[in-house]
Amino acid sequence: MRLPILALSLSILAAPVMAQCGGSWSGFLSGIRSDIRAAGLSAAQADAFLNGARQDPKVLRADRAQGVFRKDFLQFSSAVISQNRLTNGARNAKRYKLTFDRIERDYGVSRGVLLAFWALETDFGQVQGDFNTRNALLTLAHDCRRPELFRPQVIAAAKLYQRGDFDPQREKGAWAGEIGQVQMLPDDILRNGVDGDGDGHVRLKTSAPDALMSGAKMLHDLGWRKGEPWMQEIVLPATLDWSKTGLNTQASTADWARMGVRARSGRLAQGVPGSVLLPMGRKGPAFMVYPNFRVLFEWNKSFVYVTSAAYFATRLEGAPRLDPGHPDAGLSSAQMSALQQKLTARGYDVGKVDGILGAKTRPAVQSEQKRLGLPADGWPTKALLNAL
């Protein structure tokens, strides 16, 4: 699920899109209609796009209930990476070999990465969502939680309709408005959609080549570095300075090697800076992650999702099953919320207090561990909670 942080206006629009929200539904639709007209659609096209539009309460319930990301890395990755998906990944890699060859030549994105997101997003196109996309986007744009994200997506969907690649009555997808086999938002499709099968249209729901080529172009435009790795499993010495781990610290692989870090199989990538990632602390799995790993956060903001997708991609390209180690017990959702409140009180920006160990909470945890003389590996335990 791709929910990037977008600007309040998009370059595709003829006039800025304001983030008005709330109020009467009819008044909201009237404002949307004005924005659609300003984006270049005729009055008849705007009316046809909005004909029959309604709010969808199921969308709001889904938006408020994203509990899946409260799982830790081992729980989440075990749930989403199955032997069946590995087998289907190999099968699809073979079936679409020419497409993947073209992707790697034109965009430099490794097939394992696209196969992993294709699997996690829609099970290789089998489960693409059953929400009316237009209504989902309108519902979330009307809701005042993130109108600056979703109102521009409504206008982008209208632009797709204008060019014949979106049916407002029948287009279905995920609850947050993503469309197709790799789940892209309308603006992503406008900017990065690729006709991979040569039929003159970008059909991300029915054409795997279109979906894969479009996803690759999006990653490329987000900064993917051709020919470079994204992640590999590593083995760490017990004497490592744990405060140097985490995404906030980068060093050359030569420097990491001097500190005793080695690849579990093969060798560390050469000439590429890396960070030591410990998704469950110093006693759990350990990875070296490279600049391309950071690009994946532009596809999905969830730490556990991105780490699982990146690891899955390595498995799809032949890496062995990871060593899970013996991580210390983590915190419950309620305990994590309590920890976030304590960190906030100490002046840290952990984002929303939501019981999820995310990208903002981890460095705050690490800083407090270091201050308290605990192993500063970024993995919160009851010992840290009690010490605070």
Side-chain angles (χ1 to χ4, degrees):
M1 173 173 53
R2 172 164 155 73
L3 294 180
I5 300 174
L6 299 179
L8 298 184
S9 62
L10 299 176
S11 60
I12 59 168
L13 303 182
V17 175
M18 304 305 292
Q20 303 99 332
C21 62
S24 72
W25 182 245
S26 60
F28 168 76
L29 289 181
S30 178
I32 286 287
R33 184 182 186 279
S34 296
D35 287 345
I36 291 174
R37 292 279 287 116
L41 277 73
S42 69
Q45 288 172 328
D47 290 341
F49 178 79
L50 292 172
N51 181 42
R54 63 177 182 81
Q55 289 175 282
D56 188 343
K58 292 186 295 183
V59 167
L60 295 179
R61 288 197 293 270
D63 185 42
R64 306 304 196 256
Q66 299 184 63
V68 64
F69 297 127
R70 289 184 171 85
K71 294 180 178 179
D72 63 42
F73 166 69
L74 286 176
Q75 290 171 334
F76 187 83
S77 61
S78 295
V80 300
I81 302 172
S82 64
Q83 184 56 52
N84 183 59
R85 280 184 168 171
L86 287 165
T87 300
N88 284 337
R91 183 180 297 119
N92 279 301
K94 183 176 181 180
R95 179 180 180 184
Y96 294 104
K97 181 182 182 302
L98 293 179
T99 298
F100 286 119
D101 288 345
R102 180 181 168 193
I103 285 170
E104 292 180 349
R105 182 185 70 246
D106 293 351
Y107 302 117
V109 180
S110 298
R111 61 196 66 200
V113 171
L114 289 166
L115 285 164
F117 277 102
W118 191 13
L120 268 58
E121 294 287 351
T122 66
D123 226 350
F124 302 106
Q126 298 303 303
V127 184
Q128 298 187 35
D130 198 35
F131 290 86
N132 177 279
T133 300
R134 179 203 59 187
N135 290 342
L137 291 171
L138 285 168
T139 298
L140 292 166
H142 179 265
D143 182 48
C144 286
R145 196 161 83 87
R146 288 175 294 176
E148 73 283 358
L149 169 59
F150 290 104
R151 193 177 181 103
Q153 296 298 336
V154 173
I155 312 307
K159 296 285 287 185
L160 288 174
Y161 164 70
Q162 183 185 40
R163 73 183 195 186
D165 286 336
F166 186 94
D167 185 336
Q169 306 297 330
R170 296 179 178 83
E171 191 76 53
K172 291 185 177 182
W175 63 264
E178 303 98 339
I179 301 168
Q181 298 190 36
V182 294
Q183 298 284 272
M184 292 172 65
L185 288 166
D187 180 56
D188 292 323
I189 299 171
L190 277 176
R191 289 184 290 116
N192 297 299
V194 177
D195 175 16
D197 58 16
D199 69 351
H201 290 279
V202 178
R203 308 289 196 194
L204 302 193
K205 291 177 69 69
T206 56
S207 171
D210 286 7
L212 294 168
M213 291 288 294
S214 299
K217 183 178 184 298
M218 182 172 71
L219 286 173
H220 172 269
D221 289 356
L222 288 169
W224 188 270
R225 293 159 61 153
K226 185 175 183 178
E228 293 187 8
W230 58 96
M231 167 188 277
Q232 66 183 134
E233 192 177 3
I234 54 177
V235 179
L236 304 176
T239 57
L240 187 68
D241 180 354
W242 304 113
S243 68
K244 295 184 182 297
T245 64
L247 295 179
N248 287 346
T249 299
Q250 278 188 313
S252 69
T253 52
D255 286 341
W256 286 119
R258 280 190 285 270
M259 287 183 262
V261 177
R262 61 181 177 84
R264 185 182 175 202
S265 60
R267 57 184 296 185
L268 297 176
Q270 302 299 299
V272 186
S275 299
V276 171
L277 187 68
L278 306 177
M280 298 184 67
R282 70 195 189 283
K283 298 180 183 179
F287 301 100
M288 185 69 69
V289 293
Y290 300 104
N292 279 338
F293 176 80
R294 299 169 189 270
V295 175
L296 301 180
F297 282 98
E298 297 298 328
W299 191 305
N300 190 294
K301 297 299 182 184
S302 166
F303 176 91
V304 69
Y305 184 101
V306 166
T307 305
S308 296
Y311 163 60
F312 187 18
T314 67
R315 293 289 310 281
L316 288 162
E317 295 206 353
R321 185 189 300 271
L322 61 75
D323 177 2
H326 302 281
D328 291 327
L331 301 180
S332 67
S333 179
Q335 290 170 330
M336 186 65 70
S337 293
L339 176 65
Q340 289 175 319
Q341 290 170 346
K342 290 177 181 290
L343 292 170
T344 299
R346 294 193 65 85
Y348 293 100
D349 176 14
V350 301
K352 182 180 178 182
V353 175
D354 55 9
I356 299 174
L357 179 59
K360 288 187 175 182
T361 301
R362 285 178 179 270
V365 166
Q366 194 170 34
S367 293
E368 284 301 289
Q369 287 172 327
K370 186 174 182 179
R371 182 182 69 84
L372 294 166
L374 300 170
D377 60 3
W379 178 243
T381 63
K382 290 183 180 179
L384 174 63
L385 182 60
N386 292 336
L388 289 174

